mmCIF file of all heavy atoms in Angstrom:
data_model
loop_
_atom_site.group_PDB
_atom_site.id
_atom_site.type_symbol
_atom_site.label_atom_id
_atom_site.label_comp_id
_atom_site.label_asym_id
_atom_site.label_seq_id
_atom_site.Cartn_x
_atom_site.Cartn_y
_atom_site.Cartn_z
ATOM 1 N N PRO A 1 -10.232 23.031 -15.312
ATOM 2 C CA PRO A 1 -9.582 23.666 -16.463
ATOM 3 C C PRO A 1 -9.711 25.181 -16.528
ATOM 4 O O PRO A 1 -8.823 25.851 -17.034
ATOM 5 C CB PRO A 1 -10.273 23.000 -17.667
ATOM 6 C CG PRO A 1 -11.543 22.425 -17.125
ATOM 7 C CD PRO A 1 -11.257 22.051 -15.707
ATOM 8 N N LYS A 2 -10.793 25.731 -16.006
ATOM 9 C CA LYS A 2 -10.965 27.180 -16.074
ATOM 10 C C LYS A 2 -9.983 27.919 -15.162
ATOM 11 O O LYS A 2 -9.684 29.092 -15.387
ATOM 12 C CB LYS A 2 -12.399 27.559 -15.701
ATOM 13 C CG LYS A 2 -13.436 27.162 -16.745
ATOM 14 C CD LYS A 2 -14.814 27.667 -16.368
ATOM 15 C CE LYS A 2 -15.833 27.309 -17.426
ATOM 16 N NZ LYS A 2 -17.200 27.810 -17.084
ATOM 17 N N VAL A 3 -9.530 27.240 -14.131
ATOM 18 C CA VAL A 3 -8.634 27.876 -13.163
ATOM 19 C C VAL A 3 -7.195 27.412 -13.339
ATOM 20 O O VAL A 3 -6.268 28.217 -13.360
ATOM 21 C CB VAL A 3 -9.097 27.579 -11.716
ATOM 22 C CG1 VAL A 3 -8.118 28.173 -10.707
ATOM 23 C CG2 VAL A 3 -10.498 28.117 -11.493
ATOM 24 N N SER A 4 -7.008 26.104 -13.466
ATOM 25 C CA SER A 4 -5.663 25.538 -13.595
ATOM 26 C C SER A 4 -5.659 24.553 -14.760
ATOM 27 O O SER A 4 -5.892 23.354 -14.569
ATOM 28 C CB SER A 4 -5.259 24.836 -12.286
ATOM 29 O OG SER A 4 -3.930 24.374 -12.347
ATOM 30 N N PRO A 5 -5.388 25.025 -15.963
ATOM 31 C CA PRO A 5 -5.538 24.186 -17.156
ATOM 32 C C PRO A 5 -4.593 22.993 -17.222
ATOM 33 O O PRO A 5 -4.845 22.055 -17.961
ATOM 34 C CB PRO A 5 -5.264 25.166 -18.310
ATOM 35 C CG PRO A 5 -4.669 26.371 -17.712
ATOM 36 C CD PRO A 5 -5.026 26.410 -16.274
ATOM 37 N N LYS A 6 -3.491 22.999 -16.463
ATOM 38 C CA LYS A 6 -2.530 21.898 -16.525
ATOM 39 C C LYS A 6 -2.825 20.797 -15.503
ATOM 40 O O LYS A 6 -2.309 19.691 -15.629
ATOM 41 C CB LYS A 6 -1.106 22.419 -16.297
ATOM 42 C CG LYS A 6 -0.584 23.293 -17.426
ATOM 43 C CD LYS A 6 0.852 23.690 -17.179
ATOM 44 C CE LYS A 6 1.400 24.531 -18.316
ATOM 45 N NZ LYS A 6 2.820 24.907 -18.088
ATOM 46 N N LYS A 7 -3.605 21.082 -14.495
ATOM 47 C CA LYS A 7 -3.842 20.105 -13.430
ATOM 48 C C LYS A 7 -4.877 19.084 -13.884
ATOM 49 O O LYS A 7 -5.977 19.444 -14.303
ATOM 50 C CB LYS A 7 -4.309 20.808 -12.157
ATOM 51 C CG LYS A 7 -4.368 19.887 -10.934
ATOM 52 C CD LYS A 7 -4.752 20.653 -9.682
ATOM 53 C CE LYS A 7 -3.673 21.612 -9.269
ATOM 54 N NZ LYS A 7 -2.423 20.903 -8.875
ATOM 55 N N THR A 8 -4.514 17.797 -13.784
ATOM 56 C CA THR A 8 -5.380 16.712 -14.213
ATOM 57 C C THR A 8 -5.897 15.921 -13.017
ATOM 58 O O THR A 8 -5.344 15.986 -11.911
ATOM 59 C CB THR A 8 -4.619 15.748 -15.136
ATOM 60 O OG1 THR A 8 -3.532 15.155 -14.398
ATOM 61 C CG2 THR A 8 -4.067 16.477 -16.351
ATOM 62 N N TRP A 9 -6.942 15.149 -13.257
ATOM 63 C CA TRP A 9 -7.465 14.271 -12.220
ATOM 64 C C TRP A 9 -6.464 13.181 -11.867
ATOM 65 O O TRP A 9 -6.368 12.748 -10.718
ATOM 66 C CB TRP A 9 -8.792 13.647 -12.666
ATOM 67 C CG TRP A 9 -9.980 14.487 -12.299
ATOM 68 C CD1 TRP A 9 -10.746 15.234 -13.142
ATOM 69 C CD2 TRP A 9 -10.527 14.673 -10.990
ATOM 70 N NE1 TRP A 9 -11.734 15.885 -12.451
ATOM 71 C CE2 TRP A 9 -11.629 15.549 -11.127
ATOM 72 C CE3 TRP A 9 -10.194 14.204 -9.724
ATOM 73 C CZ2 TRP A 9 -12.402 15.959 -10.040
ATOM 74 C CZ3 TRP A 9 -10.962 14.599 -8.634
ATOM 75 C CH2 TRP A 9 -12.046 15.461 -8.802
ATOM 76 N N SER A 10 -5.703 12.715 -12.856
ATOM 77 C CA SER A 10 -4.706 11.677 -12.582
ATOM 78 C C SER A 10 -3.631 12.192 -11.641
ATOM 79 O O SER A 10 -3.228 11.508 -10.688
ATOM 80 C CB SER A 10 -4.074 11.186 -13.889
ATOM 81 O OG SER A 10 -3.420 12.238 -14.577
ATOM 82 N N GLY A 11 -3.157 13.418 -11.887
ATOM 83 C CA GLY A 11 -2.158 14.008 -11.006
ATOM 84 C C GLY A 11 -2.711 14.320 -9.631
ATOM 85 O O GLY A 11 -2.039 14.133 -8.614
ATOM 86 N N THR A 12 -3.949 14.787 -9.596
ATOM 87 C CA THR A 12 -4.593 15.116 -8.320
ATOM 88 C C THR A 12 -4.742 13.876 -7.451
ATOM 89 O O THR A 12 -4.382 13.876 -6.266
ATOM 90 C CB THR A 12 -5.972 15.743 -8.569
ATOM 91 O OG1 THR A 12 -5.823 16.922 -9.372
ATOM 92 C CG2 THR A 12 -6.646 16.103 -7.261
ATOM 93 N N ALA A 13 -5.262 12.799 -8.047
ATOM 94 C CA ALA A 13 -5.447 11.557 -7.296
ATOM 95 C C ALA A 13 -4.116 10.955 -6.874
ATOM 96 O O ALA A 13 -3.985 10.414 -5.763
ATOM 97 C CB ALA A 13 -6.225 10.553 -8.142
ATOM 98 N N ALA A 14 -3.097 11.059 -7.732
ATOM 99 C CA ALA A 14 -1.773 10.546 -7.381
ATOM 100 C C ALA A 14 -1.219 11.291 -6.168
ATOM 101 O O ALA A 14 -0.543 10.692 -5.315
ATOM 102 C CB ALA A 14 -0.828 10.695 -8.572
ATOM 103 N N GLY A 15 -1.505 12.579 -6.084
ATOM 104 C CA GLY A 15 -1.065 13.353 -4.927
ATOM 105 C C GLY A 15 -1.705 12.863 -3.640
ATOM 106 O O GLY A 15 -1.047 12.760 -2.600
ATOM 107 N N TRP A 16 -2.997 12.539 -3.696
ATOM 108 C CA TRP A 16 -3.682 12.016 -2.503
ATOM 109 C C TRP A 16 -3.068 10.692 -2.047
ATOM 110 O O TRP A 16 -2.822 10.488 -0.861
ATOM 111 C CB TRP A 16 -5.163 11.796 -2.803
ATOM 112 C CG TRP A 16 -5.915 13.023 -3.179
ATOM 113 C CD1 TRP A 16 -5.537 14.320 -2.957
ATOM 114 C CD2 TRP A 16 -7.178 13.089 -3.870
ATOM 115 N NE1 TRP A 16 -6.472 15.192 -3.463
ATOM 116 C CE2 TRP A 16 -7.489 14.468 -4.023
ATOM 117 C CE3 TRP A 16 -8.043 12.130 -4.364
ATOM 118 C CZ2 TRP A 16 -8.646 14.890 -4.654
ATOM 119 C CZ3 TRP A 16 -9.210 12.547 -4.997
ATOM 120 C CH2 TRP A 16 -9.499 13.907 -5.135
ATOM 121 N N VAL A 17 -2.839 9.813 -3.013
ATOM 122 C CA VAL A 17 -2.272 8.502 -2.678
ATOM 123 C C VAL A 17 -0.869 8.658 -2.097
ATOM 124 O O VAL A 17 -0.522 8.020 -1.083
ATOM 125 C CB VAL A 17 -2.234 7.598 -3.930
ATOM 126 C CG1 VAL A 17 -1.503 6.295 -3.626
ATOM 127 C CG2 VAL A 17 -3.646 7.318 -4.429
ATOM 128 N N ALA A 18 -0.056 9.491 -2.718
ATOM 129 C CA ALA A 18 1.313 9.695 -2.232
ATOM 130 C C ALA A 18 1.303 10.261 -0.816
ATOM 131 O O ALA A 18 2.107 9.853 0.038
ATOM 132 C CB ALA A 18 2.061 10.639 -3.185
ATOM 133 N N ALA A 19 0.407 11.203 -0.549
ATOM 134 C CA ALA A 19 0.319 11.789 0.788
ATOM 135 C C ALA A 19 -0.104 10.746 1.815
ATOM 136 O O ALA A 19 0.430 10.703 2.937
ATOM 137 C CB ALA A 19 -0.680 12.945 0.782
ATOM 138 N N ALA A 20 -1.065 9.892 1.459
ATOM 139 C CA ALA A 20 -1.497 8.830 2.365
ATOM 140 C C ALA A 20 -0.351 7.875 2.669
ATOM 141 O O ALA A 20 -0.206 7.400 3.806
ATOM 142 C CB ALA A 20 -2.669 8.066 1.754
ATOM 143 N N VAL A 21 0.488 7.601 1.681
ATOM 144 C CA VAL A 21 1.649 6.731 1.889
ATOM 145 C C VAL A 21 2.631 7.381 2.857
ATOM 146 O O VAL A 21 3.203 6.712 3.729
ATOM 147 C CB VAL A 21 2.334 6.406 0.542
ATOM 148 C CG1 VAL A 21 3.673 5.699 0.778
ATOM 149 C CG2 VAL A 21 1.430 5.550 -0.319
ATOM 150 N N VAL A 22 2.838 8.681 2.715
ATOM 151 C CA VAL A 22 3.700 9.396 3.660
ATOM 152 C C VAL A 22 3.154 9.253 5.079
ATOM 153 O O VAL A 22 3.899 8.991 6.032
ATOM 154 C CB VAL A 22 3.816 10.885 3.277
ATOM 155 C CG1 VAL A 22 4.527 11.673 4.386
ATOM 156 C CG2 VAL A 22 4.565 11.047 1.964
ATOM 157 N N GLY A 23 1.849 9.422 5.235
ATOM 158 C CA GLY A 23 1.237 9.243 6.548
ATOM 159 C C GLY A 23 1.444 7.841 7.086
ATOM 160 O O GLY A 23 1.746 7.655 8.274
ATOM 161 N N TRP A 24 1.295 6.834 6.226
ATOM 162 C CA TRP A 24 1.493 5.443 6.636
ATOM 163 C C TRP A 24 2.931 5.203 7.085
ATOM 164 O O TRP A 24 3.175 4.500 8.075
ATOM 165 C CB TRP A 24 1.132 4.520 5.475
ATOM 166 C CG TRP A 24 1.414 3.064 5.782
ATOM 167 C CD1 TRP A 24 0.661 2.213 6.531
ATOM 168 C CD2 TRP A 24 2.526 2.312 5.314
ATOM 169 N NE1 TRP A 24 1.242 0.970 6.582
ATOM 170 C CE2 TRP A 24 2.403 1.001 5.834
ATOM 171 C CE3 TRP A 24 3.636 2.608 4.510
ATOM 172 C CZ2 TRP A 24 3.329 0.003 5.578
ATOM 173 C CZ3 TRP A 24 4.556 1.612 4.247
ATOM 174 C CH2 TRP A 24 4.403 0.336 4.783
ATOM 175 N N VAL A 25 3.901 5.777 6.381
ATOM 176 C CA VAL A 25 5.314 5.632 6.759
ATOM 177 C C VAL A 25 5.555 6.220 8.147
ATOM 178 O O VAL A 25 6.232 5.606 8.985
ATOM 179 C CB VAL A 25 6.229 6.301 5.714
ATOM 180 C CG1 VAL A 25 7.668 6.360 6.219
ATOM 181 C CG2 VAL A 25 6.170 5.543 4.392
ATOM 182 N N PHE A 26 4.984 7.400 8.418
ATOM 183 C CA PHE A 26 5.159 8.012 9.739
ATOM 184 C C PHE A 26 4.445 7.202 10.817
ATOM 185 O O PHE A 26 4.854 7.209 11.977
ATOM 186 C CB PHE A 26 4.660 9.458 9.725
ATOM 187 C CG PHE A 26 5.702 10.452 9.312
ATOM 188 C CD1 PHE A 26 6.096 10.551 7.987
ATOM 189 C CD2 PHE A 26 6.294 11.287 10.243
ATOM 190 C CE1 PHE A 26 7.071 11.454 7.600
ATOM 191 C CE2 PHE A 26 7.269 12.201 9.878
ATOM 192 C CZ PHE A 26 7.664 12.285 8.546
ATOM 193 N N LEU A 27 3.406 6.511 10.432
ATOM 194 C CA LEU A 27 2.702 5.635 11.368
ATOM 195 C C LEU A 27 3.619 4.529 11.876
ATOM 196 O O LEU A 27 3.501 4.084 13.022
ATOM 197 C CB LEU A 27 1.477 5.033 10.665
ATOM 198 C CG LEU A 27 0.673 3.956 11.406
ATOM 199 C CD1 LEU A 27 -0.001 4.569 12.635
ATOM 200 C CD2 LEU A 27 -0.363 3.351 10.478
ATOM 201 N N LEU A 28 4.570 4.098 11.054
ATOM 202 C CA LEU A 28 5.433 2.968 11.397
ATOM 203 C C LEU A 28 6.441 3.279 12.496
ATOM 204 O O LEU A 28 6.840 2.382 13.240
ATOM 205 C CB LEU A 28 6.187 2.487 10.141
ATOM 206 C CG LEU A 28 5.324 1.962 8.985
ATOM 207 C CD1 LEU A 28 6.201 1.580 7.814
ATOM 208 C CD2 LEU A 28 4.466 0.792 9.440
ATOM 209 N N PHE A 29 6.871 4.547 12.607
ATOM 210 C CA PHE A 29 7.933 4.833 13.585
ATOM 211 C C PHE A 29 7.569 5.962 14.562
ATOM 212 O O PHE A 29 8.436 6.480 15.262
ATOM 213 C CB PHE A 29 9.251 5.170 12.865
ATOM 214 C CG PHE A 29 9.216 6.423 12.040
ATOM 215 C CD1 PHE A 29 9.566 7.646 12.588
ATOM 216 C CD2 PHE A 29 8.833 6.380 10.705
ATOM 217 C CE1 PHE A 29 9.543 8.794 11.826
ATOM 218 C CE2 PHE A 29 8.807 7.519 9.928
ATOM 219 C CZ PHE A 29 9.170 8.732 10.499
ATOM 220 N N THR A 30 6.289 6.337 14.603
ATOM 221 C CA THR A 30 5.833 7.327 15.582
ATOM 222 C C THR A 30 4.661 6.741 16.366
ATOM 223 O O THR A 30 4.206 5.634 16.086
ATOM 224 C CB THR A 30 5.382 8.626 14.896
ATOM 225 O OG1 THR A 30 4.178 8.374 14.150
ATOM 226 C CG2 THR A 30 6.462 9.157 13.960
ATOM 227 N N ASN A 31 4.198 7.494 17.347
ATOM 228 C CA ASN A 31 3.051 7.043 18.146
ATOM 229 C C ASN A 31 1.723 7.524 17.576
ATOM 230 O O ASN A 31 0.700 7.473 18.242
ATOM 231 C CB ASN A 31 3.200 7.524 19.593
ATOM 232 C CG ASN A 31 3.276 9.042 19.689
ATOM 233 O OD1 ASN A 31 3.287 9.736 18.675
ATOM 234 N ND2 ASN A 31 3.332 9.546 20.909
ATOM 235 N N ALA A 32 1.738 7.985 16.330
ATOM 236 C CA ALA A 32 0.507 8.450 15.690
ATOM 237 C C ALA A 32 -0.407 7.266 15.410
ATOM 238 O O ALA A 32 0.041 6.157 15.125
ATOM 239 C CB ALA A 32 0.833 9.174 14.384
ATOM 240 N N GLY A 33 -1.707 7.508 15.468
ATOM 241 C CA GLY A 33 -2.681 6.472 15.135
ATOM 242 C C GLY A 33 -2.951 6.441 13.643
ATOM 243 O O GLY A 33 -2.399 7.224 12.866
ATOM 244 N N TRP A 34 -3.862 5.544 13.231
ATOM 245 C CA TRP A 34 -4.179 5.386 11.823
ATOM 246 C C TRP A 34 -4.824 6.631 11.215
ATOM 247 O O TRP A 34 -4.865 6.784 9.989
ATOM 248 C CB TRP A 34 -5.103 4.178 11.634
ATOM 249 C CG TRP A 34 -4.357 2.888 11.615
ATOM 250 C CD1 TRP A 34 -4.192 2.008 12.638
ATOM 251 C CD2 TRP A 34 -3.644 2.337 10.505
ATOM 252 N NE1 TRP A 34 -3.419 0.935 12.249
ATOM 253 C CE2 TRP A 34 -3.085 1.107 10.926
ATOM 254 C CE3 TRP A 34 -3.438 2.744 9.181
ATOM 255 C CZ2 TRP A 34 -2.318 0.304 10.094
ATOM 256 C CZ3 TRP A 34 -2.683 1.941 8.343
ATOM 257 C CH2 TRP A 34 -2.132 0.737 8.802
ATOM 258 N N ASP A 35 -5.310 7.526 12.065
ATOM 259 C CA ASP A 35 -5.910 8.757 11.552
ATOM 260 C C ASP A 35 -4.941 9.573 10.714
ATOM 261 O O ASP A 35 -5.349 10.360 9.854
ATOM 262 C CB ASP A 35 -6.426 9.621 12.705
ATOM 263 C CG ASP A 35 -7.688 9.051 13.326
ATOM 264 O OD1 ASP A 35 -8.315 8.189 12.682
ATOM 265 O OD2 ASP A 35 -8.043 9.465 14.446
ATOM 266 N N ILE A 36 -3.646 9.369 10.965
ATOM 267 C CA ILE A 36 -2.659 10.178 10.251
ATOM 268 C C ILE A 36 -2.705 9.905 8.745
ATOM 269 O O ILE A 36 -2.347 10.761 7.937
ATOM 270 C CB ILE A 36 -1.234 9.915 10.791
ATOM 271 C CG1 ILE A 36 -0.267 10.959 10.229
ATOM 272 C CG2 ILE A 36 -0.772 8.504 10.464
ATOM 273 C CD1 ILE A 36 1.133 10.851 10.778
ATOM 274 N N VAL A 37 -3.186 8.727 8.360
ATOM 275 C CA VAL A 37 -3.238 8.387 6.937
ATOM 276 C C VAL A 37 -4.262 9.264 6.214
ATOM 277 O O VAL A 37 -3.955 9.904 5.200
ATOM 278 C CB VAL A 37 -3.562 6.894 6.742
ATOM 279 C CG1 VAL A 37 -3.721 6.579 5.261
ATOM 280 C CG2 VAL A 37 -2.461 6.033 7.356
ATOM 281 N N TRP A 38 -5.506 9.316 6.740
ATOM 282 C CA TRP A 38 -6.512 10.137 6.058
ATOM 283 C C TRP A 38 -6.284 11.625 6.296
ATOM 284 O O TRP A 38 -6.634 12.456 5.443
ATOM 285 C CB TRP A 38 -7.924 9.732 6.457
ATOM 286 C CG TRP A 38 -8.313 9.912 7.894
ATOM 287 C CD1 TRP A 38 -8.287 8.975 8.883
ATOM 288 C CD2 TRP A 38 -8.813 11.109 8.505
ATOM 289 N NE1 TRP A 38 -8.732 9.504 10.073
ATOM 290 C CE2 TRP A 38 -9.067 10.814 9.865
ATOM 291 C CE3 TRP A 38 -9.072 12.398 8.028
ATOM 292 C CZ2 TRP A 38 -9.555 11.761 10.758
ATOM 293 C CZ3 TRP A 38 -9.563 13.348 8.919
ATOM 294 C CH2 TRP A 38 -9.797 13.020 10.266
ATOM 295 N N ILE A 39 -5.674 11.970 7.435
ATOM 296 C CA ILE A 39 -5.333 13.378 7.654
ATOM 297 C C ILE A 39 -4.295 13.826 6.623
ATOM 298 O O ILE A 39 -4.354 14.947 6.100
ATOM 299 C CB ILE A 39 -4.817 13.604 9.089
ATOM 300 C CG1 ILE A 39 -5.967 13.452 10.081
ATOM 301 C CG2 ILE A 39 -4.172 14.978 9.225
ATOM 302 C CD1 ILE A 39 -5.535 13.532 11.533
ATOM 303 N N SER A 40 -3.349 12.952 6.317
ATOM 304 C CA SER A 40 -2.347 13.265 5.294
ATOM 305 C C SER A 40 -3.009 13.488 3.935
ATOM 306 O O SER A 40 -2.634 14.397 3.186
ATOM 307 C CB SER A 40 -1.317 12.137 5.197
ATOM 308 O OG SER A 40 -0.589 11.999 6.397
ATOM 309 N N ALA A 41 -4.006 12.663 3.622
ATOM 310 C CA ALA A 41 -4.716 12.827 2.351
ATOM 311 C C ALA A 41 -5.481 14.150 2.319
ATOM 312 O O ALA A 41 -5.517 14.839 1.291
ATOM 313 C CB ALA A 41 -5.667 11.654 2.127
ATOM 314 N N LEU A 42 -6.084 14.522 3.461
ATOM 315 C CA LEU A 42 -6.772 15.812 3.531
ATOM 316 C C LEU A 42 -5.796 16.975 3.406
ATOM 317 O O LEU A 42 -6.092 17.999 2.781
ATOM 318 C CB LEU A 42 -7.559 15.920 4.836
ATOM 319 C CG LEU A 42 -8.919 15.218 4.891
ATOM 320 C CD1 LEU A 42 -9.563 15.438 6.251
ATOM 321 C CD2 LEU A 42 -9.843 15.710 3.784
ATOM 322 N N LEU A 43 -4.627 16.817 4.011
ATOM 323 C CA LEU A 43 -3.595 17.835 3.865
ATOM 324 C C LEU A 43 -3.197 17.983 2.407
ATOM 325 O O LEU A 43 -2.962 19.092 1.919
ATOM 326 C CB LEU A 43 -2.366 17.473 4.700
ATOM 327 C CG LEU A 43 -2.255 18.033 6.110
ATOM 328 C CD1 LEU A 43 -0.961 17.557 6.750
ATOM 329 C CD2 LEU A 43 -2.321 19.552 6.111
ATOM 330 N N SER A 44 -3.113 16.854 1.717
ATOM 331 C CA SER A 44 -2.785 16.871 0.300
ATOM 332 C C SER A 44 -3.816 17.689 -0.480
ATOM 333 O O SER A 44 -3.466 18.544 -1.296
ATOM 334 C CB SER A 44 -2.739 15.435 -0.234
ATOM 335 O OG SER A 44 -2.582 15.421 -1.642
ATOM 336 N N PHE A 45 -5.089 17.427 -0.205
ATOM 337 C CA PHE A 45 -6.154 18.169 -0.872
ATOM 338 C C PHE A 45 -6.057 19.661 -0.551
ATOM 339 O O PHE A 45 -6.244 20.511 -1.428
ATOM 340 C CB PHE A 45 -7.509 17.620 -0.456
ATOM 341 C CG PHE A 45 -8.669 18.344 -1.058
ATOM 342 C CD1 PHE A 45 -8.985 18.205 -2.401
ATOM 343 C CD2 PHE A 45 -9.460 19.192 -0.282
ATOM 344 C CE1 PHE A 45 -10.056 18.881 -2.959
ATOM 345 C CE2 PHE A 45 -10.527 19.869 -0.828
ATOM 346 C CZ PHE A 45 -10.831 19.718 -2.179
ATOM 347 N N SER A 46 -5.758 19.984 0.711
ATOM 348 C CA SER A 46 -5.628 21.389 1.116
ATOM 349 C C SER A 46 -4.479 22.065 0.392
ATOM 350 O O SER A 46 -4.583 23.227 -0.019
ATOM 351 C CB SER A 46 -5.410 21.475 2.630
ATOM 352 O OG SER A 46 -6.485 20.905 3.322
ATOM 353 N N SER A 47 -3.370 21.348 0.230
ATOM 354 C CA SER A 47 -2.241 21.925 -0.490
ATOM 355 C C SER A 47 -2.599 22.150 -1.963
ATOM 356 O O SER A 47 -2.196 23.153 -2.566
ATOM 357 C CB SER A 47 -1.011 21.015 -0.374
ATOM 358 O OG SER A 47 -1.153 19.846 -1.156
ATOM 359 N N GLN A 48 -3.372 21.233 -2.532
ATOM 360 C CA GLN A 48 -3.816 21.410 -3.917
ATOM 361 C C GLN A 48 -4.749 22.613 -4.053
ATOM 362 O O GLN A 48 -4.703 23.337 -5.052
ATOM 363 C CB GLN A 48 -4.510 20.139 -4.404
ATOM 364 C CG GLN A 48 -3.566 18.961 -4.579
ATOM 365 C CD GLN A 48 -4.291 17.643 -4.755
ATOM 366 O OE1 GLN A 48 -5.470 17.520 -4.425
ATOM 367 N NE2 GLN A 48 -3.602 16.635 -5.263
#
């Protein structure tokens, strides 16, 4: 709240889940391994 008063934990966590889903979708049609799922979640955190 001191830095970003509008950002909530619910929105933050939803972003992580959505990013992991994007990684899972790319897993289905590329040669990427399962690591892409948690890497996507880390990317989400980095973007936040």
Side-chain angles (χ1 to χ4, degrees):
K2 290 185 178 181
V3 177
S4 185
K6 292 184 178 181
K7 189 176 292 295
T8 63
W9 271 107
S10 61
T12 302
W16 299 342
V17 174
V21 170
V22 171
W24 176 79
V25 170
F26 272 74
L27 173 66
L28 298 178
F29 64 91
T30 68
N31 60 356
W34 279 99
D35 287 344
I36 191 176
V37 176
W38 64 264
I39 290 175
S40 296
L42 280 180
L43 267 180
S44 173
F45 178 72
S46 300
S47 73
Q48 291 167 342

